[in-house]
Amino acid sequence: MQNVDELLEYAVGSGYVSGAVAMASAPGRGTYSSASGTASRDGGRISDDTIFEISSMVRPILTAAALQLVDAGKLALDEPLGAILPGMQAAHRLAGFDRAGSPMLCAARGALTLRTLLSHTSGLHSGTWGDAMPRAEASLDISRRVASTPLLFDPGSRWHYGGDLGIVGVIIERVVGMPVADYLRDGVFEPLGMRDTGFYVEYSARRRVAGGWRGLASTPGETAFYSTPRDYFDFMRAVLSRDGCLLSSNSFELMQRNQIGELTVPKVLRLESVDVPGEVNFYPEIRLYPGTECKWSLGFMVSAEAVSGGPSAGSLTCAAPSSAYCWIDPDSGVAGLLFARRSPGCPDLVDALFADLQQTVYEGHSVPPPAEPRRRHVLERLFEGWSKESWATWWPM
């Protein structure tokens, strides 16, 4: 996959990313790793061992941890959450607004369950749950918030990206009797050899953090989660190969297949239709595959259709905005990821780089005839002839 090297070198040379790491695998080709650029202002080279903050990409890992407990018979997907977290019943949902603009409530139909949380169909929104991950006495606090805050809709009736995964972390803690970070280490990271993944970076490893160690999540209210491209790719391969040390076959089905039925995942953020802030339906993958209908499994966005020049129908995608992306294509056996460090002051074009990476990987996997000219990537066409000096003129560092 020499073209992947060229793609990353071009992206770094153009100046809009300071460094990028790509990894990919395909049947019969093993795992390919490529890196270009620097990991921080100190000038250290970026690599698949560089530690990135990828908080949003904890979602499939938390899902896998919860499904492990389902496999062990300690959790049930369709059991009302009130049986696990006493008081965890949402009695009301938003029914609209009166002429004075006050909210009107009605009784909620359907129960909050682990399945509705993992599929983002619970009706909860960010105001319900607060921080993204559990903390001391969080279960009691969250139960009170859910009981006192109306749902946006009846559980299971709509798809909405909100506060679901924070509560999943609290549920895991309640069931196993230990911090969720410890359970993830014992149940997921150590079995898969993910030594640099977790909610904390050891002091001795902080020099390897992309962009330098900051100690706080980049998104307010969100708990930081860290991993390396190498570690995260090990998790992806376990999902792709259905590694029995991680989950049962049935649980892999839940992670790899549409779990929201006829519901669809929105591809456009429509602020004009929002009545209350909690209805803003923004999720990290929203800008990917804009022309493709998407669904949701337990843990991943699922492409309902093939992406032109890219993944097959049924492919799984996860992202952390502007920094990390991955996809798993069970039908073709292809998987890949991109971890990138944006250059300060440059426009956010990492989404386009991810699309170009997918195209490059699939071109290499299909092995087109040598006489066929290579298509220029979106970024090459858009920024042909631009140098770092050009970038500095328009977007000063």
Side-chain angles (χ1 to χ4, degrees):
M1 297 185 185
Q2 183 179 355
N3 286 344
V4 174
D5 295 339
E6 296 174 0
L7 176 65
L8 297 189
E9 289 170 4
Y10 186 89
V12 172
S14 297
Y16 71 93
V17 292
S18 300
V21 181
M23 297 185 69
S25 65
R29 290 178 178 261
T31 299
Y32 184 85
S33 179
S34 179
S36 180
T38 59
S40 66
R41 292 181 179 180
D42 296 336
R45 299 297 297 174
I46 204 166
S47 73
D48 60 13
D49 197 37
T50 299
I51 299 172
F52 287 78
E53 181 194 320
I54 56 166
S55 298
S56 295
M57 291 180 70
V58 71
R59 292 169 294 158
I61 292 175
L62 269 178
T63 298
L67 291 176
Q68 284 181 341
L69 298 177
V70 173
D71 288 341
K74 296 180 179 180
L75 275 177
L77 282 171
D78 299 308
E79 181 180 20
L81 294 183
I84 305 167
L85 301 175
M88 186 81 172
Q89 288 95 11
H92 299 91
R93 69 167 175 86
L94 186 66
F97 298 85
D98 60 23
R99 292 183 178 180
S102 300
M104 297 185 297
L105 306 180
C106 66
R109 293 182 294 180
L112 292 172
T113 65
L114 181 61
R115 187 187 299 274
T116 64
L117 293 178
L118 295 177
S119 62
H120 299 299
T121 59
S122 67
L124 295 169
H125 57 91
S126 57
T128 305
W129 52 277
D131 294 342
M133 289 301 300
R135 59 192 186 283
E137 300 180 358
S139 60
L140 178 60
D141 186 46
I142 287 180
S143 296
R144 287 172 177 167
R145 293 189 193 188
V146 171
S148 63
T149 307
L151 300 177
L152 294 176
F153 49 83
D154 292 325
S157 64
R158 280 175 53 192
W159 187 92
H160 183 91
Y161 185 76
D164 310 292
L165 270 297
I167 299 178
V168 172
V170 175
I171 291 171
I172 291 172
E173 289 194 341
R174 172 59 66 92
V175 171
V176 301
M178 67 172 70
V180 66
D182 293 345
Y183 180 77
L184 292 180
R185 181 196 62 219
D186 296 344
V188 179
F189 304 150
E190 288 189 355
L192 297 181
M194 300 168 67
R195 296 179 177 83
D196 291 306
T197 301
F199 300 105
Y200 183 76
V201 178
E202 296 294 337
Y203 181 81
S204 60
R206 291 179 183 177
R207 58 183 173 78
R208 292 194 283 125
V209 175
W213 171 250
R214 294 183 298 277
L216 296 172
S218 58
T219 303
E222 187 175 78
T223 299
F225 180 73
Y226 302 91
S227 190
T228 65
R230 184 191 305 170
D231 272 10
Y232 206 88
F233 202 75
D234 285 341
F235 172 74
M236 292 169 55
R237 284 190 296 195
V239 174
L240 179 62
S241 66
R242 299 188 172 215
D243 189 337
C245 81
L246 184 64
L247 290 172
S248 69
S249 177
N250 182 65
S251 288
F252 279 123
E253 280 292 308
L254 295 171
M255 290 193 76
Q256 295 185 5
R257 300 287 181 262
N258 170 31
Q259 298 297 315
I260 62 173
E262 297 300 317
L263 300 177
T264 57
V265 174
K267 297 305 297 175
V268 178
L269 182 62
R270 300 187 183 279
L271 293 177
E272 67 274 10
S273 63
V274 172
D275 292 319
V276 294
E279 286 189 328
V280 175
N281 201 353
F282 178 82
Y283 60 103
E285 298 84 2
I286 194 169
R287 295 188 299 182
L288 305 178
Y289 322 139
T292 303
E293 181 182 356
C294 291
K295 301 287 187 176
W296 207 265
S297 68
L298 302 189
F300 291 97
M301 184 175 76
V302 183
S303 301
E305 308 160 341
V307 178
S308 178
S312 311
S315 293
L316 316 174
T317 306
C318 187
S322 305
S323 61
Y325 305 76
C326 76
W327 85 95
I328 300 170
D329 187 341
D331 281 357
S332 68
V334 174
L337 63 72
L338 171 71
F339 283 24
R341 187 170 79 86
R342 285 181 59 195
S343 296
C346 291
D348 183 2
L349 297 172
V350 186
D351 292 348
L353 179 58
F354 178 63
D356 283 348
L357 171 65
Q358 289 184 320
Q359 176 184 306
T360 301
V361 169
Y362 281 92
E363 284 177 347
H365 178 50
S366 61
V367 192
E372 181 179 330
R374 185 176 72 86
R375 289 174 53 193
R376 289 193 304 161
H377 294 291
V378 173
L379 297 171
E380 292 177 293
R381 296 194 300 270
L382 189 58
F383 299 108
E384 185 173 15
W386 284 54
S387 64
K388 290 187 177 180
E389 290 73 22
S390 301
W391 280 112
T393 301
W394 291 99
W395 289 280
M397 301 294 182

